[in-house]
Amino acid sequence: ASSTSTFRFVGDHMPPKSVAKQLNQAFPRRFLGSWAEVKYRFYPQCMDCSSRQGGLLGVATTALRKQQQQSRFSHLFSTSLAHVGGGTNA
């Protein structure tokens, strides 16, 4: 009997690709250009861990998108003197 095991690995994005994408879409990074872009590298990850991480990130990304949409919607209809006057609230 052979004592060697076969392990299958996949390339894992670090930071996760969905996180890097969201960070790169933020205004400061878009404004500053490619030199401020969040880049990622690949590291080996086992198949089980990759599946778990993918599920967790999928749930977290969906929740963040919903939160951002709700925030934009509520901000669009909020009225304050700061918005009208271009200043800030103290």
Side-chain angles (χ1 to χ4, degrees):
S2 175
S3 62
T4 61
S5 297
T6 301
F7 292 99
R8 291 186 56 205
F9 292 94
V10 295
D12 180 31
H13 301 86
M14 292 303 278
K17 195 173 177 180
S18 60
V19 172
K21 182 179 177 181
Q22 287 182 358
L23 290 172
N24 286 331
Q25 290 175 348
F27 174 75
R29 285 204 166 82
R30 286 187 318 202
F31 179 75
L32 294 173
S34 63
W35 70 271
E37 179 181 358
V38 174
K39 295 180 175 46
Y40 51 86
R41 296 179 63 176
F42 291 101
Y43 295 94
Q45 186 177 47
C46 74
M47 299 295 284
D48 288 342
C49 292
S50 179
S51 294
R52 279 188 243 142
Q53 179 183 351
L56 291 171
L57 281 171
V59 169
T61 302
T62 300
L64 183 58
R65 283 190 190 126
K66 285 181 182 179
Q67 180 184 8
Q68 287 173 339
Q69 288 171 349
Q70 290 170 348
S71 176
R72 286 186 200 127
F73 182 76
S74 64
H75 185 77
L76 180 65
F77 293 104
S78 68
T79 57
S80 91
L81 294 176
H83 288 109
V84 174
T88 60
N89 289 333

